[in-house]
Amino acid sequence: MLATPNRLRTSTDFSTTVRSGVRNGRRNLVLYTASIEAGEPSRIGFIVSKAVGNAVTRNLVKRRLREAGALSLHTHGTGLAVVVRALPAAATASWEQLLSDYNAALAVTTKRLGGSAPRNASTEHNGTTTEGTPRA
């Protein structure tokens, strides 16, 4: 179980993180990461819809993702808001697969967050968005 200061609890926290955060998708999950104040403890929230499976399956997936989030707090204890959305494939994934997907997605999003300030501050975009897709 995550400690209360490390949980995203309100819908505004979730929507702010999803809308303003950096996204990375994997086979079993999609992870959104946003920066919060450096002194604040990192907060993690989970979205596991009925598309993942019945209540027993959803709770198993949530418990596994919650443990992965708790493990990540050892290295990212402050300054991040993370939302993890489980995909239907997570229902049949093993603990190792979920942990691997979670850690890989978190590494990519934190790297993008760390490098986003200088990239956004530059005046040259070469006609692409920050995700690398051509602008309309």
Side-chain angles (χ1 to χ4, degrees):
M1 182 69 94
L2 291 172
T4 302
N6 296 116
R7 293 185 216 158
L8 284 179
R9 299 191 60 103
T10 65
S11 63
T12 54
D13 289 341
F14 275 85
S15 61
T16 301
T17 303
V18 170
R19 289 181 182 159
S20 66
V22 177
R23 178 179 66 133
N24 187 266
R26 298 289 166 170
R27 182 178 190 283
N28 299 306
L29 56 90
V30 178
L31 191 129
Y32 303 88
T33 306
S35 294
I36 56 176
E37 291 185 34
E40 287 189 46
S42 290
R43 295 178 299 182
I44 304 172
F46 304 94
I47 302 170
V48 184
S49 73
K50 286 186 178 181
V52 173
N54 63 19
V56 174
T57 304
R58 290 193 312 269
N59 285 327
L60 175 66
V61 170
K62 270 191 279 193
R63 284 193 308 270
R64 288 178 173 176
L65 290 174
R66 197 179 300 129
E67 181 62 24
L71 292 173
S72 71
L73 287 175
H74 296 296
T75 56
H76 302 288
T78 59
L80 293 179
V82 178
V83 172
V84 183
R85 184 168 46 95
L87 298 176
T92 58
S94 68
W95 159 245
E96 291 81 14
Q97 291 169 328
L98 283 175
L99 182 62
S100 173
D101 281 355
Y102 178 89
N103 288 334
L106 185 63
V108 168
T109 57
T110 53
K111 183 178 177 184
R112 283 187 194 165
L113 278 176
S116 66
R119 181 173 42 185
N120 289 343
S122 70
T123 58
E124 185 178 337
H125 290 291
N126 297 329
T128 61
T129 63
T130 56
E131 292 84 20
T133 56
R135 290 200 170 139

